Amino acid sequence: MKEDEKKELRSGCVYETEMRINLKKSTADKIKLNLRMSQGKKTEILFDLKRAEAYFDRNNSRL
């Protein structure tokens, strides 16, 4: 995969992924992962790099 490339995974129930992010070279304040997206529903994980915090949001994940 190229840098800044988006990858959409389809079909199947379980995926495992490994991410390597060079934070020394990054200027990003936050990193967001959208998981289980379909029909307007999603689970979101937000990594706030400035505050060194992670948020797990399932508010929009229920059918």
Side-chain angles (χ1 to χ4, degrees):
M1 243 172 120
K2 296 179 183 176
E3 188 174 326
D4 295 331
E5 183 178 350
K6 291 184 179 183
K7 179 70 174 172
E8 185 174 331
L9 305 174
R10 297 176 186 221
S11 71
C13 299
V14 178
Y15 291 100
E16 180 178 327
T17 187
E18 180 179 315
M19 297 183 339
R20 293 177 188 222
I21 302 168
N22 187 337
L23 296 176
K24 290 182 181 178
K25 292 184 178 181
S26 176
T27 59
D29 294 334
K30 298 177 182 175
I31 297 171
K32 179 170 45 172
L33 297 176
N34 290 320
L35 309 172
R36 299 188 62 136
M37 294 180 63
S38 67
Q39 302 172 355
K41 304 296 181 188
K42 67 179 177 180
T43 299
E44 184 175 280
I45 301 174
L46 178 68
F47 299 95
D48 188 326
L49 303 176
K50 289 209 173 221
R51 295 180 178 204
E53 296 176 344
Y55 303 91
F56 188 79
D57 183 355
R58 293 183 58 205
N59 289 324
N60 297 313
S61 65
R62 298 179 193 223
L63 295 174

